[in-house]
Amino acid sequence: MGFFEMTKTALKTVLSRPVTILYPYQPAKKTSLTRGHVVQDGSKCISCSICVKKCPSQAILLNKEAKTWQIDRFRCVVCNSCVDTCPTRCLSMDTQYTAPASVQGVEVFTITYVKPPKPEKKEETKE
Ligand code: SF4
Ligand code: SF4
């Protein structure tokens, strides 16, 4: 009985169309929920570092001195955590996939606002 079931499954698989596609030669199927790649709008970023702390794969690097926000595409697991937690909504998930292997691993965005450092606490003097 098991042999006939297996033969039936094998024949059905051989005769049906493949469920996979030859990406990137064939365009990938996309919906509005497709996670392609993270995009950043530097004009809205307030350099709060929340995305850096929330990223599970340490793919984001914020450099306040250089006013840059960068993402390592090879580290990013496209979990959407940074997009969900960014307070200014300057991060978004584009449905377009980045081209495999032909794109540079690290993409750098310029930010316009840099959060000033916290003022140092004055030491209390004993009288
Ligand atoms: S991208 Fe969003 S979460 Fe990340 S530092 Fe800028 S404002 Fe903060
Ligand atoms: S999508 Fe996830 S893994 Fe990619 S940068 Fe954002 S938090 Fe990190």
Side-chain angles (χ1 to χ4, degrees):
M1 190 69 179
F3 173 77
F4 290 110
E5 278 299 312
M6 188 186 77
T7 308
K8 203 170 108 183
T9 305
L11 280 174
K12 196 175 160 190
T13 308
V14 167
L15 297 174
S16 59
R17 294 175 64 187
V19 292
T20 53
I21 58 164
L22 288 171
Y23 180 80
Y25 304 108
Q26 278 178 269
K29 291 174 187 165
K30 286 183 281 180
T31 71
S32 58
L33 298 175
T34 300
R35 294 178 186 175
H37 69 284
V38 177
V39 180
Q40 205 247 19
D41 179 355
S43 65
K44 291 187 196 165
C45 179
I46 56 169
S47 63
C48 64
S49 298
I50 291 175
C51 56
V52 178
K53 290 174 193 145
K54 293 288 180 182
C55 179
S57 56
Q58 289 86 48
I60 301 171
L61 190 67
L62 179 68
N63 187 332
K64 292 182 186 178
E65 281 87 52
K67 291 189 173 181
T68 56
W69 182 98
Q70 67 183 54
I71 181 166
D72 187 336
R73 301 285 180 204
F74 291 126
R75 275 182 166 270
C76 176
V77 293
V78 205
C79 68
N80 214 52
S81 178
C82 56
V83 177
D84 287 339
T85 52
C86 176
T88 62
R89 301 268 169 225
C90 66
L91 297 176
S92 57
M93 186 62 73
D94 195 300
T95 56
Q96 185 68 42
Y97 296 118
T98 48
S102 62
V103 75
Q104 277 189 334
V106 176
E107 195 169 352
V108 182
F109 296 83
T110 305
I111 58 174
T112 47
Y113 173 79
V114 174
K115 198 175 171 185
K118 284 182 185 171
E120 286 180 26
K121 285 182 184 171
K122 287 180 185 171
E123 285 184 28
E124 289 179 25
T125 51
K126 289 179 185 174
E127 290 177 16

